[in-house]
Amino acid sequence: MLKELELPIVDLPKETENLREEVRSFLSAELHNESFTTRSDSWLSGFSADFSRKLGERGWLGMTWPKKYGGHERTAFERFVVTEELLAAGAPVAAHWFADRQTGPLLLNYGTEYQRQTLLPRIVRGELFFAIGLSEPNSGSDLASISTRAKKSGNKWVINGSKIWSSGAHHAHYIVVLLRTATHGEKKHEGLSQMIVDLSAPGVTVRPIYLMTGEHHFNEVIFEDVEISEGMIVGEVGGGWKQSMAELAYERSGPERFLSTYPLLKELINQLSETSGQHANIKIGKLASRLWTLRCMSLGVAGLLEKGDSPNIAASLVKDLGTQFEKDVIDVARELIPSRPSMNAPTKFETLLAESILHAPGFTLRGGTTEILRSIIARGIGV
């Protein structure tokens, strides 16, 4: 019954350590040159097109993709190391994040040859950014109840409806939309498809949803009679649900699910280095052991993805445990160091703490709510 949650123990190959040092050296130079400031939750809040292009020039985007599409044919573990170091440093990786993490793999698995040849090389160079259109204003956590629809009209499709919580859509060039192309039968998962929509197309409106920090990362995207060609359908018409679920395995299991508040944890340890006592040491030790466990689990999922498996249930578990860990880092930081967190605070610790607190409500929403994830896990193990 628990076989679905079994994960392989993965030891990173020794050669990845050279790559790790290369990434750390790059990040150290960028910080020295003040090209970015360390932030919590940087894969959502840290947008820099220039930084993404620098990563593209170094071959750190599309790392595992075939060379004929501009990729570098490196291993999932090498990509894991690069991602881990970028997040740990709080580097601005939001611009390319969704394209590199899930749109590219989606197109490699289900896209047409035209889509692969025209879109993937630009993603690899850090020039083309994507947003994701899954959730809707009236569907809550029930993704299968979405109502955004595309109707066939001649040799085109016409889209009407809206998506919500689309991160970075105000910066992205395209959005991958899950929508209805047919009325569902007894199963709500039927009749769903995925399409690529140009965010500059007539009929597309992107409205901001501001965070409590005043920052703009999330959006509502509205489609009013938006026309797209058949060439922008991803995979089979009606196969959208299966494709989206495979895509979510990449979204839910990566190190971003437990490293969003790592810059705060690192700064907390720095602050405690000369004053900590037994109580603080125990608190930090517990966080460190959980962090190590989550990292091992995430590596296990990466190992299964490398073999071509689709470990949706284990990925959901990583996401559920990871986002709880991220919130607990905040609670421990507030408990151990008296502070006045503010985005304009004079200390790095208080700034990172404020940023983490204000971003925290989104941790358990993005990529599937806690309730949805636990339902997936329960069904998967037969509970």
Side-chain angles (χ1 to χ4, degrees):
M1 183 170 69
L2 298 179
K3 186 174 177 57
E4 295 290 344
L5 294 179
E6 290 181 3
L7 290 170
I9 297 174
V10 174
D11 293 320
L12 288 172
K14 288 186 177 179
E15 52 267 28
T16 59
E17 289 309 306
N18 292 332
L19 176 60
R20 188 183 300 280
E21 291 305 315
E22 185 182 348
V23 179
R24 287 181 177 178
S25 176
F26 164 76
L27 290 169
S28 176
E30 292 295 314
L31 281 168
H32 178 76
N33 294 329
E34 300 181 343
S35 76
F36 74 90
T37 302
T38 297
R39 302 188 63 172
S40 285
D41 209 21
S42 67
W43 64 277
L44 183 71
S45 61
F47 181 93
S48 170
D50 287 340
F51 192 83
S52 293
R53 278 192 285 272
K54 289 179 183 178
L55 297 182
E57 290 168 1
R58 289 180 170 269
W60 292 340
L61 300 181
M63 289 182 69
T64 63
W65 306 352
K67 290 183 179 178
K68 65 178 179 178
Y69 302 127
H72 304 285
E73 298 186 0
R74 302 184 79 164
T75 68
F77 302 124
E78 289 176 300
R79 182 182 182 278
F80 189 97
V81 166
V82 172
T83 304
E84 190 173 46
E85 291 300 323
L86 292 171
L87 293 172
V93 294
H96 65 266
W97 191 259
F98 300 103
D100 182 61
R101 181 182 69 180
Q102 61 197 90
T103 304
L106 174 72
L107 296 180
L108 287 170
N109 286 328
Y110 301 105
T112 65
E113 192 60 24
Y114 171 78
Q115 291 166 355
R116 294 170 184 162
Q117 291 191 7
T118 57
L119 300 176
L120 294 182
R122 295 170 63 195
I123 294 175
V124 171
R125 293 196 296 269
E127 299 173 354
L128 189 66
F129 309 135
F130 275 75
I132 305 298
L134 290 174
S135 301
E136 294 190 2
N138 298 317
S139 62
S141 296
D142 184 6
L143 187 58
S145 69
I146 60 172
S147 59
T148 295
R149 182 174 298 276
K151 289 186 177 180
K152 192 76 180 291
S153 177
N155 61 355
K156 294 184 177 180
W157 290 84
V158 180
I159 303 174
N160 281 284
S162 63
K163 294 292 176 181
I164 200 167
W165 308 121
S166 294
S167 306
H170 54 306
H171 293 304
H173 303 93
Y174 292 97
I175 183 169
V176 178
V177 182
L178 180 69
L179 40 67
R180 289 214 163 275
T181 46
T183 304
H184 64 75
E186 294 183 359
K187 297 180 180 179
K188 291 191 296 184
H189 303 156
E190 296 174 346
L192 296 172
S193 304
Q194 285 183 297
M195 297 185 182
I196 300 171
V197 180
D198 184 339
L199 283 165
S200 66
V204 177
T205 302
V206 179
R207 291 180 178 169
I209 301 172
Y210 293 103
L211 299 180
M212 288 188 287
T213 59
E215 297 168 284
H216 175 195
H217 305 305
F218 294 118
N219 300 277
E220 181 178 9
V221 183
I222 300 166
F223 307 95
E224 296 175 294
D225 293 328
V226 178
E227 295 184 352
I228 73 162
S229 69
E230 289 188 312
M232 299 307 264
I233 297 171
V234 181
E236 296 180 5
V237 174
W241 182 260
K242 176 185 174 183
Q243 295 170 197
S244 294
M245 292 304 102
E247 195 180 341
L248 287 174
Y250 290 92
E251 180 178 350
R252 289 173 173 163
S253 62
E256 70 271 26
R257 294 306 178 188
F258 52 90
L259 291 179
S260 296
T261 53
Y262 181 82
L264 172 63
L265 176 59
K266 182 179 178 182
E267 188 60 23
L268 171 64
I269 294 171
N270 287 340
Q271 295 290 316
L272 293 170
S273 59
E274 296 181 359
T275 60
S276 66
Q278 185 179 24
H279 177 69
N281 289 342
I282 291 172
K283 288 282 185 179
I284 296 298
K286 287 182 177 179
L287 288 177
S289 63
R290 289 171 64 191
L291 176 60
W292 182 254
T293 302
L294 285 163
R295 183 175 185 266
C296 290
M297 293 174 68
S298 181
L299 273 170
V301 173
L304 293 176
L305 291 171
E306 176 84 348
K307 293 187 341 185
D309 294 340
S310 185
N312 295 325
I313 299 170
S316 297
L317 184 62
V318 172
K319 202 269 181 181
D320 184 17
L321 296 176
T323 51
Q324 184 58 55
F325 169 80
E326 291 175 332
K327 285 189 170 184
D328 288 348
V329 169
I330 298 171
D331 291 341
V332 172
R334 299 182 79 170
E335 176 189 340
L336 295 182
I337 297 184
S339 58
R340 301 184 69 176
S342 164
M343 295 297 291
N344 300 313
T347 70
K348 184 178 180 181
F349 173 77
E350 290 176 319
T351 303
L352 288 171
L353 180 56
E355 193 169 47
S356 300
I357 292 170
L358 293 170
H359 278 236
F363 292 172
T364 53
L365 293 176
R366 58 199 188 195
T369 63
T370 298
E371 291 75 14
I372 289 294
L373 295 173
R374 291 180 182 177
S375 295
I376 292 172
I377 296 165
R379 284 198 301 271
I381 63 176
V383 175

